[in-house]
Amino acid sequence: MMKDIYRLASSVAVWLGGPIEVDGKDLWPIPPLLEAAQKNLKRTELPIRHGTKDWVRHVLRPDYTTNGDLNDKRWNAIIKSLILLLHSSWFLRTWIIQEVALATRAVVLCGNNSASWEDFYRAVSYAIDLDYFSSTLPEMYSSMQNIERARRDLASNRCPRPLDLLASFRIFLATDPRDKVFGLYSLFSPSDLAVLELQPDYNLDVVEVYTQSVIDCITTEGNLDVLSFSGQDCLPAHSQLPTWVPDWAYQDHAKPLSPRFLSALSFGEHRWACTWASATGSSYPVVELVDDKKNIMLSGYVLDKVATTGGILEKDYYETQPGHPFLEINMLIKKSTDVFPKWEDICGVPNNTTYFTGEAAWDLYWKTLYAGSYPHGDEQQTKAAFEKWYKPFRDLRSVTDYTGDRIEEIRNSDSGTAYKVAAGVGWFGKMMYKSMKFGMSMLNNRNRTPPSKILAFHRTLFRTERDYVGISSRWVKEGDSVALFQGGKLPLVIREAEDGKWQIVGDAYIHGIMNGEAFDGSKCSMIRIC
């Protein structure tokens, strides 16, 4: 019934609450962002100035700066007000999805301000494209993009598949966790609704609902794509879920590895190029449910074992701080400088070890961090963007390596005290020069650094016993197994449990085998997953 109400309504009002205040002033960010979007301005061309009087007024302000963008307090406040606006609980409630996705016309209201949904989304999308949200939680901006994608699909009579909706709106919230599934049924196509065994029924518990949703996805799609969301991540209240059943109520900050589920980053005109299709070729899943649907039998085989892991690349997020690649780099320098050297070692970068595909270690490294995608265009553009973004980490390591090596050299020298003092003074001078050079380079390039767009955040990089390299879940550890299952586009890292059963740890991208190069269907047998 609600589906028909929203679809037949002449207009749907989206009420976001009272006015957004920044520094005590009501600031509605949509008009200036919409104007900049219509002019297709780059960040280096912002903020917009309007005539001589406006220019003089801003120059005479004590907080005026000439660097533009976020260094201009007025424009900084506009972006902060947008971020605060998207903090509204409305954007993450599961039941609101149908309000906008099904509406013929929607109007966004906030205090005394209003905008059509189309203008509102264009302004927000423009800010996303300019990387203003890279320092905020992913759900802050991806919720908008997922709603708009569903809206466009439905307007074009293209109903998204149930799994695409479950994946896109996993970040949304619901008081009743079963509504993370049932709240999306109004967006399902009639053909999908006709074949789904699971129908809205609140006599079922969460485990039954989530388990049957997985079974329905596998049977209706003929693949194991849904298992990309399974593994060790779940809410404590849902710990009884089998590892092959995703916890749809868990907000995972790690980006999906499959291009299919990068809907908040890669869709329409923004779609990323990808170098792979399926690690098991065109195989079809063989599935059997056992033990009253508590376990699932899948046809596949263990390909390899994890030999080494390199630590987890963590990333912090800010509540209201506008995003900038420079801010992201500063954050990572503080938290993850020890991770990148380990990851480079695993890929063989220090010795430039050639990978089994014939690629150089450096190419193996950056391509793995992007999971085989090219978010900046083609291969050359993505490599160039990555090297610009990654340069500060390598420069900093050069400084720290020199410092440690030189101190050790002086300390172990057989020379007298006078020499050591002189060498120490020389070391200090050179270290200061290198540090200043590093600082100036960071400062000069702060507005030229592209966003990273890597998919490795909140994941670990690993090498297997057969020297395959890949990225996977943060929970992967040495001794885990890498398995290929018929109908699965991504390898799965699994862990042996009791009584011959296995648990899913997470999906994985493994460079060089993502187009079926390592898959051999004759080796498959039924593996019990609990």
Side-chain angles (χ1 to χ4, degrees):
M1 183 178 71
M2 294 305 296
K3 178 178 182 178
D4 293 333
I5 289 175
Y6 289 119
R7 177 165 282 171
L8 297 175
S10 60
S11 180
V12 172
V14 176
W15 172 247
L16 300 182
I20 301 299
E21 292 190 357
V22 178
D23 298 329
K25 298 179 181 179
D26 178 5
L27 189 54
W28 178 238
I30 302 306
L33 281 166
L34 184 61
E35 180 185 1
Q38 291 168 342
K39 294 179 177 179
N40 197 28
L41 299 179
K42 301 176 182 178
R43 284 188 70 159
T44 53
E45 299 173 301
L46 295 170
I48 300 174
R49 306 296 185 190
H50 296 99
T52 305
K53 291 183 180 179
D54 189 69
W55 174 262
V56 172
R57 179 171 60 85
H58 282 287
V59 168
L60 294 178
R61 282 174 51 185
D63 61 0
Y64 178 79
T65 61
T66 57
N67 291 330
D69 198 21
L70 297 180
N71 289 320
D72 180 272
K73 290 189 176 182
R74 178 174 171 271
W75 188 256
N76 195 305
I78 289 172
I79 301 303
K80 282 186 177 180
S81 69
L82 179 65
I83 293 173
L84 289 170
L85 183 64
L86 296 186
H87 267 295
S88 169
S89 59
W90 184 90
F91 289 104
L92 288 177
R93 298 203 322 263
T94 297
W95 284 108
I96 61 88
I97 299 166
Q98 58 183 344
E99 294 181 18
V100 175
L102 296 171
T104 303
R105 178 176 179 270
V107 178
V108 180
L109 306 172
C110 181
N112 295 322
N113 303 297
S114 66
S116 69
W117 175 265
E118 289 75 17
D119 286 348
F120 185 82
Y121 176 74
R122 184 171 183 185
V124 175
S125 178
Y126 173 71
I128 293 171
D129 289 343
L130 293 189
D131 203 43
Y132 281 124
F133 292 94
S134 61
S135 298
T136 57
L137 289 167
E139 51 264 32
M140 281 287 299
Y141 56 87
S142 58
S143 60
M144 279 285 297
Q145 291 176 302
N146 288 327
I147 293 172
E148 176 63 15
R149 187 188 185 200
R151 179 177 168 84
R152 291 183 185 183
D153 286 344
L154 291 169
S156 304
N157 293 317
R158 297 192 309 267
C159 290
R161 299 305 306 272
L163 177 54
D164 292 302
L165 291 168
L166 287 167
S168 295
F169 298 110
R170 190 182 185 187
I171 60 172
F172 281 63
L173 304 174
T175 303
D176 188 331
R178 293 171 294 186
D179 286 336
K180 292 300 298 291
V181 178
F182 294 151
L184 301 174
Y185 266 53
S186 62
L187 305 179
F188 290 179
S189 68
S191 58
D192 278 328
L193 287 172
V195 297
L196 295 178
E197 182 176 328
L198 178 66
Q199 297 298 321
D201 180 359
Y202 288 91
N203 292 315
L204 301 174
D205 62 28
V206 173
V207 174
E208 291 173 312
V209 172
Y210 286 11
T211 298
Q212 189 58 49
S213 72
V214 175
I215 297 169
D216 283 348
C217 286
I218 294 174
T219 55
T220 57
E221 294 203 351
N223 59 53
L224 300 181
D225 286 1
V226 67
L227 298 187
S228 286
F229 301 95
S230 61
Q232 306 294 307
D233 286 317
C234 69
L235 298 175
H238 301 160
S239 59
Q240 69 273 33
L241 287 170
T243 62
W244 56 276
V245 176
D247 183 358
W248 298 118
Y250 180 82
Q251 290 185 314
D252 189 0
H253 291 153
K255 295 183 179 70
L257 298 176
S258 172
R260 173 183 178 180
F261 303 119
L262 286 171
S263 58
L265 300 170
S266 169
F267 72 97
E269 64 273 20
H270 302 290
R271 185 169 299 280
W272 295 1
C274 186
T275 60
W276 58 274
S278 172
T280 63
S282 58
S283 63
Y284 193 83
V286 179
V287 181
E288 180 183 347
L289 294 169
V290 293
D291 300 331
D292 196 24
K293 298 183 180 180
K294 293 180 180 177
N295 298 332
I296 190 171
M297 302 282 288
L298 300 175
S299 176
Y301 66 97
V302 172
L303 173 71
D304 206 348
K305 280 193 173 184
V306 175
T308 306
T309 61
I312 302 162
L313 185 61
E314 301 284 12
K315 179 180 178 181
D316 286 337
Y317 300 96
Y318 294 96
E319 284 288 320
T320 60
Q321 179 66 44
H324 192 283
F326 190 66
L327 183 64
E328 180 182 72
I329 289 170
N330 279 339
M331 186 192 309
L332 290 174
I333 283 176
K334 295 175 183 177
K335 289 188 65 76
S336 301
T337 49
D338 60 330
V339 174
F340 287 136
K342 293 178 184 176
W343 285 15
E344 288 188 22
D345 286 341
I346 288 175
C347 292
V349 172
N351 298 321
N352 196 25
T353 306
T354 302
Y355 195 50
F356 82 93
T357 59
E359 294 169 288
W362 179 249
D363 290 330
L364 163 66
Y365 183 53
W366 71 263
K367 288 180 181 179
T368 301
L369 299 194
Y370 285 114
S373 294
Y374 296 145
H376 294 280
D378 57 20
E379 179 178 348
Q380 288 73 27
Q381 291 170 321
T382 301
K383 182 178 182 180
F386 175 77
E387 289 177 341
K388 284 183 181 179
W389 176 82
Y390 197 73
K391 185 177 184 298
F393 303 105
R394 305 199 89 180
D395 289 347
L396 178 61
R397 197 180 320 150
S398 173
V399 174
T400 56
D401 287 350
Y402 169 77
T403 300
D405 293 344
R406 185 57 178 149
I407 288 176
E408 189 67 21
E409 181 182 337
I410 295 172
R411 181 184 292 118
N412 296 330
S413 173
D414 294 331
S415 302
T417 303
Y419 169 81
K420 290 184 177 181
V421 170
V425 171
W427 160 81
F428 181 78
K430 192 167 185 179
M431 187 269 292
M432 289 297 295
Y433 168 76
K434 284 179 172 286
S435 299
M436 290 177 64
K437 184 178 179 182
F438 169 74
M440 290 302 297
S441 175
M442 289 275 286
L443 188 64
N444 292 334
N445 291 303
R446 67 188 185 280
N447 292 322
R448 302 178 191 143
T449 303
S452 65
K453 297 187 179 182
I454 61 174
L455 301 182
F457 290 123
H458 311 294
R459 295 184 178 276
T460 189
L461 187 141
F462 66 91
R463 180 178 284 271
T464 69
E465 293 179 351
R466 294 170 59 179
D467 286 334
Y468 292 127
V469 171
I471 53 173
S472 185
S473 162
R474 62 187 299 120
W475 303 110
V476 170
K477 62 183 181 181
E478 295 176 9
D480 287 341
S481 297
V482 176
L484 298 175
F485 292 98
Q486 289 183 272
K489 295 184 178 68
L490 287 153
L492 293 178
V493 177
I494 59 177
R495 184 174 298 158
E496 195 165 6
E498 58 184 14
D499 300 328
K501 300 176 184 177
W502 295 79
Q503 295 179 333
I504 294 177
V505 180
D507 61 355
Y509 168 86
I510 299 179
H511 193 70
I513 69 166
M514 297 303 294
N515 284 306
E517 295 91 339
F519 181 68
D520 183 351
S522 65
K523 295 181 179 179
C524 292
S525 61
M526 299 304 285
I527 297 177
R528 185 185 295 257
I529 308 293
C530 61

